Amino acid sequence: MAKEVAGFIKLQIKGGAANPSPPVGPALGSKGINIMDFCKQFNARTQDKAGKVLPVVITYYADKSFDFVVKTPPVAVQLLEITKQKSGSAEPNRKKVAEITWDQVKTIAQDKMQDLNCFTVESAMTMVAGTARSMGITVKGEFPGNN
């Protein structure tokens, strides 16, 4: 018989750096989940992505056991990584902070494709470009997709 799902917890944790301090400890402790068990499993699974912010969805069950799925880093974090910026623009419509190419947009879109709700790389690229635009990052050149 399948386990009864009690709920979900969504967190963003740096890869290989989960520890029982906030936000991880209180979020898991309030649901009765073994915090150290989660931290050890998460750190073991994300050693190769150390230092990157990773969204994680934890499914916890009525018997206090859990499963979790690690997703790809957020598009905004990947854009800041590529442009070597600390943060996006405070006024993205007036003040631009960086420029990226459509090739860079395509690599982010292909990396993030499994977590996005679109079917083609071109539509994923437009989503990434929209995030870039809202952060004050300009995308250089013409859209390479099949218009």
Side-chain angles (χ1 to χ4, degrees):
M1 191 167 122
K3 295 181 186 177
E4 184 183 338
V5 175
F8 299 97
I9 303 171
K10 293 181 181 180
L11 298 171
Q12 288 191 351
I13 311 168
K14 286 196 176 195
N19 55 15
S21 64
V24 179
L28 300 181
S30 67
K31 309 294 186 215
I33 300 170
N34 186 334
I35 300 165
M36 284 314 296
D37 192 27
F38 168 77
C39 290
K40 285 177 187 168
Q41 287 182 34
F42 179 83
N43 291 340
R45 207 185 290 181
T46 59
Q47 280 177 336
D48 57 330
K49 299 175 187 144
K52 289 187 178 180
V53 176
L54 300 170
V56 61
V57 179
I58 306 162
T59 307
Y60 60 96
Y61 302 100
D63 65 350
K64 306 291 186 218
S65 63
F66 64 91
D67 290 327
F68 63 95
V69 178
V70 180
K71 301 198 178 257
T72 54
V75 172
V77 171
Q78 291 183 9
L79 286 168
L80 292 176
E81 209 171 82
I82 284 179
T83 60
K84 311 266 189 289
Q85 297 288 322
K86 293 274 185 233
S87 67
S89 174
E91 299 178 82
N93 58 339
R94 294 193 187 97
K95 190 175 150 218
K96 303 296 179 190
V97 292
E99 281 189 344
I100 58 172
T101 64
W102 280 105
D103 290 335
Q104 291 171 315
V105 169
K106 187 172 186 174
T107 46
I108 293 174
Q110 288 171 335
D111 180 41
K112 194 74 179 153
M113 191 71 179
Q114 64 197 14
D115 294 337
L116 295 175
N117 60 347
C118 54
F119 299 110
T120 63
V121 176
E122 285 79 16
S123 57
M125 287 170 64
T126 57
M127 291 171 107
V128 172
T131 303
R133 195 173 304 115
S134 70
M135 293 173 68
I137 298 171
T138 311
V139 183
K140 289 188 290 189
E142 281 293 310
F143 182 71
N146 47 4
N147 300 24

mmCIF file of all heavy atoms in Angstrom, residues 19 24 42 54 62 65 88 105-106 124 133:
data_model
loop_
_atom_site.group_PDB
_atom_site.id
_atom_site.type_symbol
_atom_site.label_atom_id
_atom_site.label_comp_id
_atom_site.label_asym_id
_atom_site.label_seq_id
_atom_site.Cartn_x
_atom_site.Cartn_y
_atom_site.Cartn_z
ATOM 1 N N ASN A 19 22.082 22.616 6.729
ATOM 2 C CA ASN A 19 22.351 22.404 8.153
ATOM 3 C C ASN A 19 21.071 22.685 8.944
ATOM 4 O O ASN A 19 20.139 23.274 8.414
ATOM 5 C CB ASN A 19 23.522 23.272 8.624
ATOM 6 C CG ASN A 19 23.320 24.741 8.337
ATOM 7 O OD1 ASN A 19 22.225 25.169 8.043
ATOM 8 N ND2 ASN A 19 24.385 25.510 8.400
ATOM 9 N N VAL A 24 16.080 25.628 7.269
ATOM 10 C CA VAL A 24 15.848 24.183 7.163
ATOM 11 C C VAL A 24 15.272 23.601 8.448
ATOM 12 O O VAL A 24 14.249 22.921 8.433
ATOM 13 C CB VAL A 24 17.147 23.447 6.783
ATOM 14 C CG1 VAL A 24 16.909 21.951 6.692
ATOM 15 C CG2 VAL A 24 17.690 23.965 5.459
ATOM 16 N N PHE A 42 20.658 15.335 1.667
ATOM 17 C CA PHE A 42 20.711 16.463 0.734
ATOM 18 C C PHE A 42 22.159 16.801 0.394
ATOM 19 O O PHE A 42 22.508 16.986 -0.769
ATOM 20 C CB PHE A 42 20.006 17.689 1.334
ATOM 21 C CG PHE A 42 20.043 18.893 0.431
ATOM 22 C CD1 PHE A 42 19.116 19.034 -0.589
ATOM 23 C CD2 PHE A 42 20.999 19.879 0.593
ATOM 24 C CE1 PHE A 42 19.138 20.135 -1.429
ATOM 25 C CE2 PHE A 42 21.039 20.982 -0.236
ATOM 26 C CZ PHE A 42 20.111 21.109 -1.253
ATOM 27 N N LEU A 54 19.876 25.811 -4.737
ATOM 28 C CA LEU A 54 19.075 24.764 -5.360
ATOM 29 C C LEU A 54 17.699 24.687 -4.709
ATOM 30 O O LEU A 54 17.605 24.502 -3.494
ATOM 31 C CB LEU A 54 19.766 23.404 -5.209
ATOM 32 C CG LEU A 54 21.148 23.274 -5.835
ATOM 33 C CD1 LEU A 54 21.798 21.982 -5.400
ATOM 34 C CD2 LEU A 54 21.043 23.338 -7.336
ATOM 35 N N ALA A 62 2.701 10.663 6.358
ATOM 36 C CA ALA A 62 2.051 10.571 7.672
ATOM 37 C C ALA A 62 2.915 9.816 8.679
ATOM 38 O O ALA A 62 2.851 10.096 9.875
ATOM 39 C CB ALA A 62 0.694 9.898 7.532
ATOM 40 N N SER A 65 8.234 9.867 7.439
ATOM 41 C CA SER A 65 9.303 9.655 6.470
ATOM 42 C C SER A 65 9.184 10.735 5.393
ATOM 43 O O SER A 65 8.192 11.464 5.340
ATOM 44 C CB SER A 65 9.208 8.261 5.860
ATOM 45 O OG SER A 65 7.998 8.134 5.145
ATOM 46 N N GLY A 88 20.321 42.192 -9.678
ATOM 47 C CA GLY A 88 19.723 42.824 -10.846
ATOM 48 C C GLY A 88 19.579 44.324 -10.631
ATOM 49 O O GLY A 88 19.936 44.863 -9.579
ATOM 50 N N VAL A 105 21.489 32.539 -23.345
ATOM 51 C CA VAL A 105 20.083 32.316 -22.991
ATOM 52 C C VAL A 105 19.695 30.876 -23.315
ATOM 53 O O VAL A 105 19.026 30.203 -22.524
ATOM 54 C CB VAL A 105 19.161 33.316 -23.733
ATOM 55 C CG1 VAL A 105 17.698 32.925 -23.584
ATOM 56 C CG2 VAL A 105 19.378 34.725 -23.209
ATOM 57 N N LYS A 106 20.164 30.376 -24.464
ATOM 58 C CA LYS A 106 19.828 29.014 -24.886
ATOM 59 C C LYS A 106 20.423 27.976 -23.924
ATOM 60 O O LYS A 106 19.760 26.997 -23.584
ATOM 61 C CB LYS A 106 20.325 28.762 -26.309
ATOM 62 C CG LYS A 106 19.860 27.427 -26.862
ATOM 63 C CD LYS A 106 20.191 27.298 -28.332
ATOM 64 C CE LYS A 106 19.581 26.016 -28.865
ATOM 65 N NZ LYS A 106 19.738 25.888 -30.303
ATOM 66 N N ALA A 124 11.184 28.197 -23.978
ATOM 67 C CA ALA A 124 11.977 28.303 -22.752
ATOM 68 C C ALA A 124 12.927 29.495 -22.838
ATOM 69 O O ALA A 124 13.143 30.207 -21.851
ATOM 70 C CB ALA A 124 12.767 27.019 -22.510
ATOM 71 N N ARG A 133 15.154 40.431 -18.786
ATOM 72 C CA ARG A 133 14.637 41.786 -19.004
ATOM 73 C C ARG A 133 14.147 42.395 -17.697
ATOM 74 O O ARG A 133 14.373 43.559 -17.418
ATOM 75 C CB ARG A 133 13.502 41.724 -20.034
ATOM 76 C CG ARG A 133 13.121 43.042 -20.622
ATOM 77 C CD ARG A 133 12.106 42.906 -21.755
ATOM 78 N NE ARG A 133 12.569 42.029 -22.823
ATOM 79 C CZ ARG A 133 11.996 40.866 -23.128
ATOM 80 N NH1 ARG A 133 10.926 40.439 -22.485
ATOM 81 N NH2 ARG A 133 12.475 40.123 -24.104
#
